[in-house]
Amino acid sequence: MWPYHPDLLATPVPRYTSFPTAAEFGPLSPDVTRDAIQRAEGDVSLYVHIPFCEKICFYCGCNTGASGRRQRLDSYLAALYREIALTASLLPRHARVRRVSFGGGSPNALDPVDFVRLMDRLTLEFALVDPVLSIELDPRSMTADWAHVIGHVGIERASLGVQTFAPHCQKAIGRVQAEDEIVRAVDWLRDAGVGSMNFDLMYGLPMQTQEDLVDSMHRTRVLGADRVALFGYAHVPHIVKRQAAIDDSQLPDAGARFAMASLGYSYFCTHGYAPVGFDHFAKPGHDPLARAALSGTLRRNFQGFTDDEAPVLIGLGASAISSFPDLLSQNEKNSGRYRMIAGEGRLPVERGIARSDNDRLRASVIEGLLCQQAAWVPPALRAEVSDRLAVFEDRGLAAMQGEHLHITPEGLPYARGIAALFDPYRQQSPRRFSSAI
Ligand SMILES: C[S@@+](CC[C@H](N)C(=O)[O-])C[C@H]1O[C@@H](n2cnc3c(N)ncnc32)[C@H](O)[C@@H]1O
């Protein structure tokens, strides 16, 4: 079990899926993003956001809304097609797209035929070069037709929103799904040729006990998940209004949350999975994510830990974030406004931040600490953080070895807090973030 230092977890910290984080984004002219797309070098990855789910769960912090009326989906897809065409026309001819990820929301809130059209559109507009295709799926809206399309299109990686198998926790978070629905989705996807199956699980849920968590992890393993993402439930009703439906008196306290995170980590590490960063796990051997974690090439992007090494990630769709070496840029979040702007053939960029050399240096330290638990720290940064770092060093959670800072195995649950020492923006407004565990 990990050592518990509540004082080191008291301050909320970002998840650092980017640095600077989205909290630092300000208004950004679409011309800046246009220029970055035109200058793209090397491989390009695409992320396509589908901000719809058939049913909305009240725990969910993702940018999604009820799929509802057919016309809403149609006009969203029409706008997305315009954005796809415009973006592809701006990319240099030599840019090769090696990955396409579909996320949400739940892309399978779309009609499977619409998804085939979307895939066709991407294929026609971009130079897709034997791309790795992945998709997030809601097991409740999986159908045989969807599985057929996934097989036909050649999607190799699927991520299922499982969250918990415990019926009382499911009820408390507004996400009731029978185990049979998950089993059926797994069977369909395996038959369709999906080689890498991820399960998203959560701890820190209302009324969740350690036994509930062990039971969910056990079922996950028995169902053969190749990867697992184990997220601490982030309860931020001041930001995500629908979470107000959750009775916060039923949430486990900080100590119980920490014990669950620790239990989850030791469970997967002793049941056939390699740790990937601090909250992902993958079966070692064939899995590229596990290989990246073991070989030191793991990266972090807006989707979490990844084996994607492409220098450019272009986000398409409402709220999608693009990452270029010197720029982070986010699309309009509101899907109605997105439809209007992209539908008029304009780049639907709303916010972002240019990355200075100093930001990039700090980003590489933060990413190294989270992905490899080690980073080279230049002398000026070492001097800047030394007092605050001593708190972690004194408790054996981090150690300098020459010019490299290492997070010790006991320090893993404090990795985000240690990374935050290098984040100069972090001195203000911590309330925007969730707890570090
Ligand atoms: C982008 S969401 C996609 C949801 C997915 N389509 C589904 O079926 O639920 C990805 C994951 O984020 C996690 N997540 C969502 N809201 C969360 C919250 N408030 N705290 C922690 N994790 C959350 C869930 O594990 C979820 O599966």
Side-chain angles (χ1 to χ4, degrees):
M1 287 300 226
W2 288 326
Y4 184 41
H5 301 286
D7 56 315
L8 299 181
L9 297 169
T11 309
V13 277
R15 296 185 56 74
Y16 290 115
T17 52
S18 71
F19 179 79
T21 73
E24 274 66 64
F25 291 4
L28 184 76
S29 158
D31 292 342
V32 177
T33 306
R34 174 186 295 268
D35 177 59
I37 298 173
Q38 286 173 326
R39 286 187 291 108
E41 294 277 350
D43 288 347
V44 172
S45 298
L46 300 179
Y47 169 75
V48 185
H49 191 74
I50 306 296
F52 302 110
C53 290
E54 253 177 41
K55 296 176 212 157
I56 299 298
C57 316
F58 37 78
Y59 75 92
C60 187
C62 309
N63 177 29
T64 189
S67 42
R69 281 179 301 129
R70 171 86 217 172
Q71 195 208 343
R72 234 174 125 218
L73 296 185
D74 285 349
S75 66
Y76 183 79
L77 288 172
L80 187 59
Y81 292 168
R82 299 282 311 255
E83 188 191 7
I84 288 169
L86 177 57
T87 304
S89 73
L90 295 172
L91 265 182
R93 278 167 164 267
H94 58 262
R96 302 180 317 163
V97 173
R98 304 297 305 268
R99 263 174 210 254
V100 187
S101 309
F102 299 91
S106 302
N108 61 325
L110 296 179
D111 189 296
V113 174
D114 285 336
F115 182 75
V116 174
R117 287 202 193 101
L118 172 58
M119 197 60 222
D120 284 349
R121 202 50 84 104
L122 291 164
T123 309
L124 287 171
E125 300 284 1
F126 289 102
L128 301 187
V129 182
D130 193 18
V132 175
L133 303 176
S134 62
I135 191 163
E136 278 175 18
L137 299 166
D138 181 341
R140 298 170 304 173
S141 19
M142 263 310 283
T143 60
D145 282 351
W146 250 103
H148 182 71
V149 161
I150 283 172
H152 171 76
V153 166
I155 294 183
E156 297 156 42
R157 302 183 184 182
S159 177
L160 291 179
V162 174
Q163 324 308 354
T164 174
F165 285 87
H168 59 281
C169 299
Q170 291 187 358
K171 202 158 165 245
I173 60 169
R175 171 60 179 251
V176 174
Q177 60 187 1
E179 184 162 357
D180 279 356
E181 289 175 304
I182 297 164
V183 173
R184 196 182 52 181
V186 169
D187 288 347
W188 273 332
L189 292 168
R190 290 293 191 205
D191 286 349
V194 168
S196 175
M197 187 101 62
N198 176 77
F199 277 23
D200 281 348
L201 295 180
M202 286 196 294
Y203 67 86
L205 296 173
M207 295 189 287
Q208 191 180 30
T209 63
Q210 292 200 3
E211 291 69 34
D212 294 329
L213 179 61
V214 170
D215 181 72
S216 288
M217 295 190 293
H218 181 62
R219 287 170 201 274
T220 294
R221 190 169 60 84
V222 169
L223 283 172
D226 304 286
R227 297 178 182 181
V228 180
L230 178 60
F231 298 118
Y233 167 56
H235 187 64
V236 283
H238 52 287
I239 302 170
V240 180
K241 302 284 178 237
R242 54 182 166 247
Q243 290 182 347
I246 291 181
D247 178 356
D248 48 16
S249 70
Q250 295 176 334
L251 291 171
D253 65 18
R257 269 177 81 91
F258 186 86
M260 284 191 210
S262 180
L263 179 66
Y265 187 83
S266 47
Y267 179 93
F268 285 115
C269 293
T270 53
H271 287 80
Y273 291 80
V276 177
F278 50 82
D279 59 5
H280 285 44
F281 306 89
K283 283 188 181 160
H286 66 285
D287 191 285
L289 195 64
R291 279 211 302 271
L294 296 170
S295 66
T297 56
L298 188 67
R299 303 295 311 269
R300 190 141 173 87
N301 71 10
F302 296 104
Q303 290 148 268
F305 290 106
T306 177
D307 57 313
D308 187 1
E309 295 186 65
V312 173
L313 169 67
I314 297 183
L316 300 160
S319 78
I321 299 179
S322 300
S323 163
F324 304 91
D326 54 4
L327 179 74
L328 298 167
S329 152
Q330 181 167 32
N331 278 354
E332 169 60 54
K333 284 190 200 160
N334 178 283
S335 69
R337 279 199 294 273
Y338 167 84
R339 286 198 300 259
M340 195 185 72
I341 301 169
E344 288 169 359
R346 292 186 284 142
L347 271 187
V349 169
E350 196 218 356
R351 299 173 73 70
I353 189 167
R355 283 204 269 212
S356 64
D357 288 346
N358 188 267
D359 286 334
R360 284 212 288 264
L361 180 66
R362 289 170 189 271
S364 78
V365 173
I366 290 171
E367 191 176 26
L369 290 173
L370 298 188
C371 295
Q372 279 82 44
Q373 289 82 54
W376 173 72
V377 183
L381 281 188
R382 248 180 293 157
E384 181 184 304
V385 303
S386 69
D387 288 353
R388 288 172 295 139
L389 181 60
V391 178
F392 295 91
E393 289 175 316
D394 292 349
R395 299 192 209 184
L397 307 174
M400 283 303 305
Q401 288 171 13
E403 296 187 334
H404 285 78
L405 174 60
H406 291 260
I407 295 180
T408 64
E410 296 73 29
L412 195 57
Y414 304 94
R416 283 164 63 190
I418 297 169
L421 301 177
F422 297 91
D423 177 351
Y425 301 103
R426 225 43 318 114
Q427 314 320 321
Q428 324 107 30
S429 66
R431 219 172 100 80
R432 296 181 57 97
F433 304 103
S434 57
S435 66
I437 277 290

